[in-house]
Amino acid sequence: MAQTDEKSGGVTAVRAEKLRRLVERILTAAGVPAADAATVAEVLVEADLRGVESHGTTRIAGYVSMIRTGLLNPKPGVQVVRDLPSTAMLEGDQAFGIVVAKRAMEMAIDKARRAGIAAVTARNVTHTGMIGFYTMMAARAGMIGLAMNNGPAILPPFGGKTPTMATNPFSVAFPAASEQPIVLDMATSIVAGGKLRLAAKKGLPIPGGWALDRHGVPTTDPSEAIFHGFIQWAGGYKGFGLATMVEVLGGVLSGGLFGRDVPPMKDFGKDPLVTSAFYLAINIENFMPLAEFGARVDRLIEHVKSSERAKGTDEIFVAGEIEFRKKAQRLQGGIPLSDVVHRELQGLAAEYGVPFDL
Amino acid sequence: MAQTDEKSGGVTAVRAEKLRRLVERILTAAGVPAADAATVAEVLVEADLRGVESHGTTRIAGYVSMIRTGLLNPKPGVQVVRDLPSTAMLEGDQAFGIVVAKRAMEMAIDKARRAGIAAVTARNVTHTGMIGFYTMMAARAGMIGLAMNNGPAILPPFGGKTPTMATNPFSVAFPAASEQPIVLDMATSIVAGGKLRLAAKKGLPIPGGWALDRHGVPTTDPSEAIFHGFIQWAGGYKGFGLATMVEVLGGVLSGGLFGRDVPPMKDFGKDPLVTSAFYLAINIENFMPLAEFGARVDRLIEHVKSSERAKGTDEIFVAGEIEFRKKAQRLQGGIPLSDVVHRELQGLAAEYGVPFDL
C-alpha cells in the first residue's frame, strides 16, 4: 500500500521496487521487449531514488507517447557500425536512449579492461535519462566513467538568440574505497531542462536567473521559458564552451546530428527527440591498484568534507553525495511521487490493463 | 626596435620572435637546458600572442625566482614510471610544468595513433602555463586533445572556507577543416588566479563577483583576494564539481599530491608550487576520416557564428576564436608588454648579461 506523505500534500510515497515493476509492465504492454523495459524502469526509478525526479518516472508518459507516434522505436535495429579494440560506434535507430546508453557503457568498460581506455559513441537515440547512471556503472566496475550527450537545438550560443544546442549534460564518476563514488552529473546549462518541465507540471515558478523569455528578459515562468524562451548557460561562456565540447564529442564524433540539424523540441513526448552520446571508460589499474586509488579518493573526500564551513552552510558535499543520501532515505521511506505522475501511471496502467499496485 | 602603443600608456608593443629569443636567453643563462628554455619561451609567448597574458611572459620573473630558491628544478630527472600501450605516468621531479606537459601530450598523441585513445599523467611539476597549448598540439596532429591539472590548495570547496584545491584548469581542443580549431581553455573558478595576479601587478580593481575577502564577503581588491580571500567557482557547485574531476584525474590518478596535501601558494615565485596533470588524446580516424570530422566541426562553427545575436552582442564566438584573432593581430602589430613585465625582463637580462633586444 502506498503511504501519503503528510508534510507535502499532493505527493505519495511509493516503494522503489513496486514502482519499477509497474513501469516495466506498462512498457512491456506498450510493445517494449522485456529486457529493455526492465532497463528503462531501472534507470528511471534510480533517478527517482536519487532525487533527480526530472529524469525519473515523470518521463514515462512521454516515452509511451513517443512510441505511439513512432518517434521512439521500441524494437530498434541498433547496429555496431564500427568496432575497434578501444573504440566503437553505435547507430541507435531511434531506440530508447537508456537502453543504448547502457549497452555503450558496457562495451566501453569491456574494451577498457583490455585496452586501458575505451570510448563508444551512440547516435540517433531518444532520451537518455540520468547519465550519471552510466558513469556509475563504470565506477562499480572499478573504472572512471565519463558520459555526455547532445540533443535538441533549444539553447542559443552564448550571446545569441537562435536555438543551437541542448542543455548538453556531462557526467563523470570515480570509485572510492569506503566512501560512495564521486558522481558529477550536470547540465552545462544553469539547470537541466527537465527541472523547468517539472516546475511547469507542478505549476511552480522557477528562480530568477534560470531562464530568459522570448525577448531575452529574465522570467520566473517555466512555460514561457520552455515554449518561447531559453535556459541560461552555467557560468556564461564557460558553460557554453563545455556544451560545445559535448556537442562535438556527442554529436560530431558519433556521426550523429548536431547543432541546428538536431530537431528542436518544445514538448517532451510530442516533438521529435534525437540525441547522440559519447561514453568513455578508464581502467584505473593501468595507473595504480584500485584499492590505492579508492583510498586516495576517500582521502580527497575527507579533505572536502572537513573544510571549515562558510557562513550559512550546514554541510559541505562532494558531487553525488546528496543523491546517495537521498537514495538511502527513499529506499527506506519510499519515493515521493507527485499526484501528476501518479495519475499518469494510473491512467497508463488502466489503458494497458496492467495491475496498478503501488 | 620596440614600438610604444600610444593608446595604452605603460605598454610597449614587442615582436613575438624577439620576445621569445629574449626569454630563451634569460632561461638558458639561469641554467635551463637550451631545448627546455626554447619550449618554455614558446609556450609563454604563445599565451601572450593569444591574449592570455596572465599565463605569458609575466611568469618569467617567478620562474627564475623558483629556480634560484630551488623550488623549480631546471635539470630534473623526469621519469616514465609506468608505460603501457594506451597509458603512461610521468614523475616530474619539480621540473618546468611546461616542459613535462609538452612531453606528456606528445606521448599521448603518439600512443593514440596506435591505440586509438591514450592518456598520460604527469605529477610533481611546477607551473604548466596555458594548457590550451597542449590540447592544440593534439588538434594539429588531427586528434582531440584534453588537458587538465590540479595545483596549490588555494580555493575552498563550494560552501567552505578551508583552501583545498587550485583553480584547476580544463582544456579541450578539436581540429576543424577550414576554420581554426575549437579550443576551450578555462579555469573551473570564475576567473583564473593569474588574472587576479595581473590585476594586482597593474594596481587595478577586479569586478565584483570574482572573489571573496577573508570574511567571505565580495571584494574588488585583487591583493585581498590573493593573500587573504578566495576566488569563486564558475557556476557555483558545478564549477566545484568540475574542479573535483580535475583534482582526481590530475592529482589522484597521477599518484601526485592532491587536496590539502598540495602546498598552498599565495606568492607566485616565492611559495612552493606543485601541480599534477592528466592529458588525453583521441584519434579521430578511429571514428571517421579526419577530413569528414573537420568539415562537420566547420559546420557546427557556422551554426554558432550565424546565430541571431542577443541585444548588446556584436559577434558570437566559439571557444578559442577570440584568441586566434588576437594572435593574428599580435603577430602583425606586436605583443603589448606592460611596463612591469618589460622592466622585469630588462632587469633579468642585465643580471644575466643577456642582450636586451626587444
Side-chain angles (χ1 to χ4, degrees):
Chain A
M1 278 292 290
Q3 293 184 314
T4 301
D5 182 337
E6 307 216 4
K7 270 192 241 154
S8 43
V11 164
T12 309
V14 303
R15 306 294 309 168
E17 199 36 54
K18 291 195 165 192
L19 183 58
R20 198 180 293 121
R21 203 175 321 128
L22 175 64
V23 168
E24 208 177 316
R25 282 174 174 162
I26 290 171
L27 290 174
T28 309
V32 180
D36 291 356
T39 296
V40 174
E42 182 192 9
V43 175
L44 292 184
V45 172
E46 180 73 13
D48 278 340
L49 280 170
R50 291 177 68 82
V52 190
E53 301 162 51
S54 56
H55 289 62
T57 49
T58 185
R59 297 287 178 165
I60 279 298
Y63 288 177
V64 170
S65 163
M66 285 195 281
I67 290 173
R68 287 172 174 166
T69 55
L71 293 175
L72 193 165
N73 187 348
K75 289 172 178 155
V78 178
Q79 290 190 326
V80 182
V81 289
R82 205 151 190 207
D83 197 0
L84 294 167
S86 68
T87 59
M89 299 172 78
L90 300 180
E91 161 58 51
D93 194 21
Q94 281 302 108
F96 272 106
I98 288 173
V99 172
V100 178
K102 193 178 175 189
R103 176 169 169 191
M105 186 54 97
E106 277 166 359
M107 288 176 72
I109 291 168
D110 211 50
K111 287 176 182 295
R113 202 159 276 137
R114 290 184 298 272
I117 311 183
V120 177
T121 60
R123 70 187 181 217
N124 301 327
V125 297
T126 62
H127 190 251
T128 295
M130 177 184 70
I131 63 170
F133 187 93
Y134 317 109
T135 56
M136 285 190 283
M137 286 170 56
R140 271 197 306 276
M143 299 204 179
I144 295 165
L146 269 94
M148 60 195 89
N149 68 271
N150 80 342
I154 49 174
L155 266 71
F158 182 73
K161 288 200 293 185
T162 307
T164 305
M165 295 185 196
T167 54
N168 284 8
F170 174 85
S171 176
V172 60
F174 302 100
S178 50
E179 301 289 340
Q180 296 283 9
I182 296 175
V183 184
L184 177 67
D185 183 357
M186 55 175 261
T188 49
S189 55
I190 198 110
V191 289
K195 292 202 177 162
L196 268 67
R197 274 187 288 278
L198 197 68
K201 217 172 204 179
K202 290 182 175 175
L204 296 173
I206 52 172
W210 277 18
L212 301 177
D213 68 10
R214 70 193 77 189
H215 311 295
V217 175
T219 179
T220 60
D221 175 355
S223 298
E224 170 68 20
I226 293 167
F227 293 104
H228 308 288
F230 316 108
I231 306 175
Q232 290 292 286
W233 297 110
Y237 67 93
K238 294 195 178 191
F240 173 59
L242 290 167
T244 305
M245 169 185 76
V246 173
E247 196 70 22
V248 178
L249 288 173
V252 174
L253 188 69
S254 67
L257 301 178
F258 58 86
R260 291 205 299 263
D261 294 337
V262 189
M265 184 198 71
K266 290 292 184 187
D267 205 350
F268 182 81
K270 297 207 173 65
D271 294 331
L273 173 53
V274 185
T275 76
S276 298
F278 176 84
Y279 302 96
L280 182 88
I282 300 173
N283 191 352
I284 291 162
E285 295 276 350
N286 264 46
F287 295 86
M288 64 182 68
L290 180 58
E292 184 184 341
F293 179 85
R296 288 165 70 83
V297 170
D298 279 355
R299 181 171 174 81
L300 178 62
I301 292 172
E302 200 272 329
H303 284 191
V304 169
K305 297 292 293 178
S306 64
S307 166
E308 209 187 332
R309 298 191 305 278
K311 202 182 270 185
T313 298
D314 289 326
E315 186 175 355
I316 296 166
F317 296 99
V318 294
E321 187 182 3
I322 289 173
E323 290 79 8
F324 279 110
R325 196 172 294 181
K326 196 151 268 180
K327 182 178 175 181
Q329 289 164 356
R330 291 183 171 188
L331 280 174
Q332 279 281 335
I335 293 167
L337 210 62
S338 79
D339 275 358
V340 175
V341 176
H342 199 267
R343 269 198 305 276
E344 283 174 352
L345 294 173
Q346 204 160 18
L348 288 167
E351 265 186 82
Y352 285 115
V354 159
F356 185 72
D357 173 30
L358 277 186
Chain B
M1 278 293 288
Q3 292 185 316
T4 301
D5 181 339
E6 307 216 3
K7 270 193 242 156
S8 43
V11 165
T12 310
V14 302
R15 307 294 307 168
E17 199 37 54
K18 290 195 166 191
L19 184 58
R20 198 179 293 120
R21 203 174 321 127
L22 174 63
V23 168
E24 208 177 317
R25 281 175 175 163
I26 290 171
L27 290 174
T28 310
V32 179
D36 292 355
T39 296
V40 174
E42 181 191 11
V43 175
L44 292 183
V45 172
E46 181 72 15
D48 278 340
L49 280 170
R50 291 177 70 82
V52 190
E53 300 161 50
S54 56
H55 289 63
T57 49
T58 185
R59 298 287 179 164
I60 280 297
Y63 288 176
V64 171
S65 162
M66 285 195 280
I67 292 174
R68 286 172 176 168
T69 55
L71 293 174
L72 193 164
N73 187 348
K75 289 173 178 155
V78 178
Q79 289 189 328
V80 182
V81 288
R82 204 149 189 206
D83 196 0
L84 295 167
S86 69
T87 59
M89 299 172 79
L90 300 181
E91 160 58 53
D93 194 22
Q94 282 301 109
F96 272 106
I98 288 173
V99 172
V100 178
K102 193 178 176 190
R103 177 168 167 195
M105 186 55 97
E106 277 166 359
M107 288 176 72
I109 292 167
D110 211 49
K111 287 176 183 294
R113 201 160 276 135
R114 290 184 297 272
I117 311 184
V120 177
T121 60
R123 70 187 181 216
N124 300 327
V125 298
T126 63
H127 190 250
T128 295
M130 177 184 70
I131 64 170
F133 187 93
Y134 318 110
T135 58
M136 285 191 283
M137 285 170 57
R140 272 197 305 277
M143 298 204 180
I144 295 165
L146 268 94
M148 60 195 89
N149 68 270
N150 81 341
I154 49 175
L155 266 71
F158 182 72
K161 288 201 295 184
T162 307
T164 306
M165 294 186 195
T167 55
N168 285 7
F170 174 85
S171 176
V172 59
F174 302 102
S178 50
E179 301 289 340
Q180 296 282 9
I182 296 175
V183 184
L184 177 66
D185 183 357
M186 56 176 259
T188 49
S189 55
I190 198 109
V191 289
K195 291 201 176 161
L196 267 67
R197 276 187 287 278
L198 198 68
K201 216 171 201 178
K202 288 181 175 174
L204 296 173
I206 53 171
W210 276 18
L212 301 178
D213 67 11
R214 70 193 77 189
H215 312 294
V217 176
T219 179
T220 59
D221 175 354
S223 298
E224 171 67 20
I226 294 168
F227 293 104
H228 306 288
F230 315 109
I231 306 174
Q232 290 292 285
W233 297 109
Y237 67 93
K238 295 196 177 192
F240 173 59
L242 291 167
T244 305
M245 169 186 76
V246 173
E247 196 71 21
V248 178
L249 288 173
V252 174
L253 188 68
S254 67
L257 300 179
F258 58 86
R260 291 205 300 261
D261 295 337
V262 189
M265 184 198 72
K266 290 293 184 186
D267 205 350
F268 183 81
K270 297 207 173 66
D271 294 330
L273 174 53
V274 185
T275 76
S276 298
F278 176 84
Y279 302 95
L280 183 88
I282 300 173
N283 191 353
I284 291 162
E285 295 276 349
N286 264 46
F287 296 86
M288 64 183 66
L290 181 59
E292 185 184 340
F293 179 86
R296 287 165 69 83
V297 170
D298 280 356
R299 181 172 175 81
L300 178 62
I301 292 171
E302 200 272 329
H303 285 191
V304 169
K305 297 292 294 177
S306 64
S307 166
E308 209 186 332
R309 296 190 305 278
K311 202 182 268 184
T313 298
D314 290 328
E315 186 175 356
I316 295 167
F317 297 99
V318 294
E321 186 181 2
I322 290 173
E323 290 79 8
F324 279 111
R325 197 172 294 179
K326 197 152 270 181
K327 181 178 175 179
Q329 289 164 356
R330 291 182 171 188
L331 280 174
Q332 280 281 332
I335 292 167
L337 209 63
S338 79
D339 275 0
V340 174
V341 177
H342 199 266
R343 269 198 306 275
E344 283 174 351
L345 294 173
Q346 205 160 18
L348 288 168
E351 267 185 81
Y352 285 115
V354 159
F356 185 72
D357 173 30
L358 279 187

